[in-house]
Amino acid sequence: MTHRRTQSRRQFLQATALLSAGLVAAPSVIVRGATQPGWTSNPFSLGIASGVPSSDGFVLWTRLIPDPSGVDPMVPGEIADDSVAVNYEIATDESMRNIVRRGIAAAEKTYAYSVHEVVHGLKPNRPYWYRFHSGDATSAIGCTRTAPRAGAALDRLKLSYFSCSHYETGYFSAYRHAARQAPDLAVFLGDYIYEYSDSRNPVVRHHARKSEARTLSQYRGRYTQYRLDPDLQAIHAACPALMIWDDHEVQNDYADKWSQTFDSPQDFLRRRAAAYQAFYEHMPLLPSQAPNGSAMQICHAFGDLLSVHLVDGRQYRSREACYGPPGKGHGHVETNSDCPERLDEARSMIGLQQETSLFNRLAASSTRWNLLAQDVMMAQLRQKTRTGEFGYWTDDWNGYPASRKRLLQHLHDSKTCNPVVISGDIHSFWTSDLKLDFDDTNSPTVASELVGTSVSSNGPPFEQFAGFLPDNPHIKFFESRKRGFVSLEIARKQMTARFKALADVTDRDSVISDLAVFAIEDGRAGAAKA
Ligand code: FE
Ligand code: CA
């Protein structure tokens, strides 16, 4: 019997002893040939995370990588086995004294030695702390929490949401400031990494690889670099996360199998599969969400107070309206006379199947607030063109007005309770009334939209966009010159949104302050300055 097998047998015996003592649930994975090596460097250098909180558990994430600067992240340093055992502990106190659960998870080579351990059987609506051990190495301690039981009374929930963290254009101080507030939940709305490197703007730090990520190894390298950032690690260690993606996790402005650079759909789908796999490997997602992310369309309920409806805005969308010739596969501005295709009823932002499942979830929801967490701006934005006709951006909901109309009509008809849309992608703060008919100022407001600015990505030109506001009376606030995040406090009578703005994204120690505060009252759609 080899040393290795002796180790895994001992682990097995330990696990069996704990099982019979009722301390752990049976491991949900079979640990094949698992070893517990002695490490020469910290294999937990990418930190830890938790996500998908349920009323009795969550998923715990880490990824073993002893040599993050190695040329090929596929071959991480000292690891050679197909599967490495990682022990985890869950405690009810931050000093990890009162441990209520011990278990063994598997870090599998197929998924770059990442761990996605689903934990059940814990108490609802309370914080837990956790850490991992592998051989002689121990991870940092993370804080997470379980959700209240469905329907249970809940008075208050604090969540922060984020989008668009380009590593090169600024520091991730927004994540650090958000972590200090110890929210109950962090929601990531996409552009968590950027596949391309920034050649146009002055950068504060560089991607390790300048070329655009296209392969599994390159996407893994990008996530590895981002995940080494201490501020990013801090927000994940502070609370559980819910994740969706936008375009830059794969390629700018892609739509389903359509690349902005007109790659053949078969080639592009291969690239997309690699990108989706790397996304899964680095996020606290359920194993059932590996690797194509189709299970992202989930509704998460927090007691009787809040439902978070996650929407996938990229994987199922119709191709950009009026794309081409080459060079025009990405978002652009189109008028109705130049591009009647944009108005086509058959086109969908999220795919007709997802529209149906989202509509059903919204109709079935019985919580006080319904948050639609999705990637791109939903409010209509008329952009006056040189001819005087209005143009519309084709890559956000403005490119899919029939799909947007179906959603808003459904929110109206189903009397969904207090729908609030949160969005990213446009690197600027926006507060808007979502109108049943945007072209009629007397049309009812059916939902509120709060667009969070970017964590670090550069904003659109302020003067140009501010100039569009008089033609868009449903938009109440716009600011593109500040980076940061949004902190939401959800109570029974009111939701309060704080737009948190960094003083200087190029200063790692930047302070943050409230740029604007908006409140939405229970039973009345539309946010007002608080
Ligand atoms: Fe972005
Ligand atoms: Ca985007």
Side-chain angles (χ1 to χ4, degrees), residues 140-419:
I141 295 169
C143 179
T144 187
R145 56 184 306 130
T146 49
R149 283 204 183 91
L154 179 68
D155 287 335
R156 201 164 284 273
L157 188 136
K158 219 168 73 180
L159 74 81
S160 291
Y161 63 92
F162 310 92
S163 62
C164 297
S165 42
H166 199 304
Y167 186 88
E168 297 185 299
T169 53
Y171 292 106
F172 293 166
S173 316
Y175 290 142
R176 180 179 70 251
H177 286 290
R180 281 189 191 149
Q181 296 185 335
D184 300 314
L185 183 67
V187 183
F188 295 83
L189 298 178
D191 291 359
Y192 184 100
I193 59 149
Y194 279 75
E195 85 289 13
Y196 73 92
S197 297
D198 209 312
S199 54
R200 294 161 303 172
N201 300 297
V203 297
V204 301
R205 50 186 181 172
H206 291 281
H207 280 153
R209 275 185 67 106
K210 268 198 146 14
S211 55
E212 194 169 313
R214 294 169 184 281
T215 65
L216 179 56
S217 158
Q218 290 164 356
Y219 285 113
R220 281 173 171 166
R222 204 64 108 215
Y223 282 103
T224 299
Q225 184 175 13
Y226 280 54
R227 278 242 173 235
L228 285 166
D229 184 281
D231 295 330
L232 180 56
Q233 292 194 10
I235 185 61
H236 282 294
C239 65
L242 291 177
M243 326 281 322
I244 56 165
W245 53 41
D246 190 29
D247 52 339
H248 290 290
E249 284 84 357
V250 184
Q251 185 205 46
N252 180 56
D253 289 0
Y254 80 96
D256 186 7
K257 57 182 176 291
W258 307 108
S259 153
Q260 68 162 354
T261 45
F262 296 83
D263 300 343
S264 83
Q266 293 90 325
D267 289 347
F268 186 68
L269 282 175
R270 267 193 291 278
R271 175 178 177 181
R272 196 185 81 167
Y276 284 4
Q277 178 169 339
F279 179 85
Y280 169 74
E281 290 169 351
H282 294 84
M283 300 301 182
L285 296 171
L286 300 170
S288 60
Q289 295 174 295
N292 68 11
S294 58
M296 264 207 305
Q297 311 147 49
I298 300 178
C299 169
H300 299 273
F302 297 85
D304 64 351
L305 186 66
L306 174 72
S307 295
V308 183
H309 305 269
L310 299 183
V311 179
D312 183 339
R314 286 288 165 188
Q315 191 173 183
Y316 310 106
R317 64 159 75 184
S318 306
R319 197 169 184 176
E320 298 278 338
C322 302
Y323 58 86
K328 213 175 82 171
H330 47 71
H332 52 282
V333 174
E334 288 287 355
T335 62
N336 288 350
S337 45
D338 284 345
C339 182
E341 182 197 346
R342 190 184 66 92
L343 304 167
D344 184 349
E345 298 270 330
R347 300 179 67 255
S348 176
M349 172 79 194
I350 60 175
L352 295 175
Q353 220 179 327
Q354 188 179 197
E355 283 188 18
T356 305
S357 60
L358 174 64
F359 292 1
N360 290 341
R361 286 190 277 131
L362 289 165
S365 169
S366 56
T367 53
R368 176 74 56 103
W369 299 91
N370 283 280
L371 210 59
L372 277 84
Q374 52 89 52
D375 51 346
V376 294
M377 190 159 91
M378 193 174 285
Q380 175 168 281
L381 181 65
R382 292 164 153 176
Q383 307 189 23
K384 193 163 268 173
T385 63
R386 258 176 257 150
T387 63
E389 196 181 353
F390 292 126
Y392 301 89
W393 183 245
T394 59
D395 187 64
D396 64 18
W397 287 88
N398 283 282
Y400 304 83
S403 187
R404 176 176 61 197
K405 181 63 194 277
R406 285 191 290 271
L407 173 56
L408 295 174
Q409 187 72 53
H410 177 78
L411 290 173
H412 181 259
D413 296 348
S414 66
K415 300 190 169 55
T416 300
C417 201
N418 294 319

